[in-house]
Amino acid sequence: EAEVAQSPRYKITEKSQAVAFWCDPISGHATLYWYRQILGQGPELLVQFQDESVVDDSQLPKDRFSAERLKGVDSTLKIQPAELGDSAMYLCASTLDSGVTGELFFGEGSRLTVL
Amino acid sequence: AQSVTQLDSQVPVFEEAPVELRCNYSSSVSVYLFWYVQYPNQGLQLLLKYLSGSTLVESINGFEAEFNKSQTSFHLRKPSVHISDTAEYFCAVSEGGLKTDKLIFGTGTRLQVFP
């Protein structure tokens, strides 16, 4: 069964360091999302891509976060410099049909701990 | 702005007992409603959804939810739970032009099923 792949699963870093997360969506899925899930809260959308273009990054803290999907397939989310408050699970999701069926397919997430 | 409220952060229940997980939303326009489930150490999976048509929707594993427009609710129910239903359940709403755009999640309800 096709899955959304994310790496690394776990990342521990010190504040002020740079971190990067990678996501490979299900093959053929044009729409890709990065969500942040803080412990005890629901996922919050950070950025949405349609192919290689950013559709919505209104909630992305652009002073320290960046995201790219250069070839419209896999994507990288970067944080530089990391802060203590960035500790969270970073979830990647994709969808085939630009949302017509209403189902997002999520990866297992990348858990970030900032010390 | 739309929002989702899950009134119970934790719901403990014995196996084979009925359960209801509550979800209320606020929105000024028509919405699409979803329940996602997150099993331990896994990503989120779509459990069921309301897009249009019948207000009662069902999942393949016995859960059902009813869209109540007048009460702005989308409560999740199961008449008899199993140990394997232990997980975190997230209610979500979208009022974007596409059904997966601008998905707003609730804070989640942890269902703990005891033998």
Side-chain angles (χ1 to χ4, degrees):
Chain A
E1 182 177 320
E3 296 180 344
V4 175
Q6 289 189 248
S7 66
R9 286 293 308 277
Y10 304 93
K11 178 70 176 179
I12 300 174
T13 190
E14 294 183 344
K15 63 180 180 179
S16 79
Q17 296 298 304
V19 295
F21 303 109
W22 176 79
C23 171
D24 191 12
I26 294 173
S27 178
H29 281 199
T31 310
L32 183 146
Y33 309 79
W34 283 102
Y35 281 85
R36 177 172 61 185
Q37 185 179 14
I38 295 172
L39 190 64
Q41 299 182 21
E44 297 176 303
L45 180 66
L46 291 176
V47 61
Q48 176 184 343
F49 289 92
Q50 181 67 31
D51 298 310
E52 67 277 7
S53 301
V54 173
V55 173
D56 184 356
D57 64 356
S58 58
Q59 300 302 311
L60 188 71
K62 298 181 187 63
D63 57 335
R64 297 185 300 107
F65 285 66
S66 64
E68 61 183 15
R69 193 184 184 198
L70 294 177
K71 297 182 179 180
V73 181
D74 57 337
S75 175
T76 302
L77 178 70
K78 297 179 181 178
I79 308 174
Q80 183 174 16
E83 295 181 353
L84 295 178
D86 296 331
S87 293
M89 178 75 84
Y90 291 84
L91 298 166
C92 180
S94 67
T95 186
L96 171 64
D97 49 12
S98 298
V100 172
T101 64
E103 179 170 7
L104 295 185
F105 295 85
F106 283 85
E108 293 183 328
S110 295
R111 182 172 295 283
L112 173 65
T113 301
V114 182
L115 303 176
Chain B
Q2 57 181 325
S3 65
V4 178
T5 302
Q6 292 185 246
L7 298 171
D8 306 298
S9 60
Q10 295 186 63
V11 174
V13 64
F14 287 108
E15 194 173 20
E16 299 184 2
V19 70
E20 178 180 81
L21 307 183
R22 296 178 291 172
C23 173
N24 288 89
Y25 69 92
S26 65
S27 175
S28 58
V29 298
S30 297
V31 297
Y32 308 116
L33 295 159
F34 308 85
W35 278 98
Y36 277 81
V37 59
Q38 187 174 31
Y39 298 103
N41 299 313
Q42 295 186 28
L44 280 75
Q45 304 171 37
L46 180 66
L47 185 62
L48 46 75
K49 61 187 177 185
Y50 170 77
L51 304 180
S52 65
S54 173
T55 57
L56 183 65
V57 291
E58 299 177 351
S59 72
I60 59 174
N61 58 351
F63 283 93
E64 65 178 29
E66 186 163 19
F67 169 52
N68 188 318
K69 187 174 182 179
S70 62
Q71 297 186 4
T72 60
S73 68
F74 192 55
H75 301 331
L76 182 70
R77 302 183 180 93
K78 189 171 185 178
S80 176
V81 295
H82 190 268
I83 294 286
S84 60
D85 293 324
T86 294
E88 189 93 21
Y89 292 79
F90 293 94
C91 182
V93 61
S94 171
E95 61 177 34
L98 299 175
K99 298 175 181 66
T100 53
D101 280 354
K102 303 185 189 302
L103 209 59
I104 305 297
F105 285 88
T107 53
T109 297
R110 176 163 177 74
L111 175 64
Q112 180 73 52
V113 181
F114 296 94

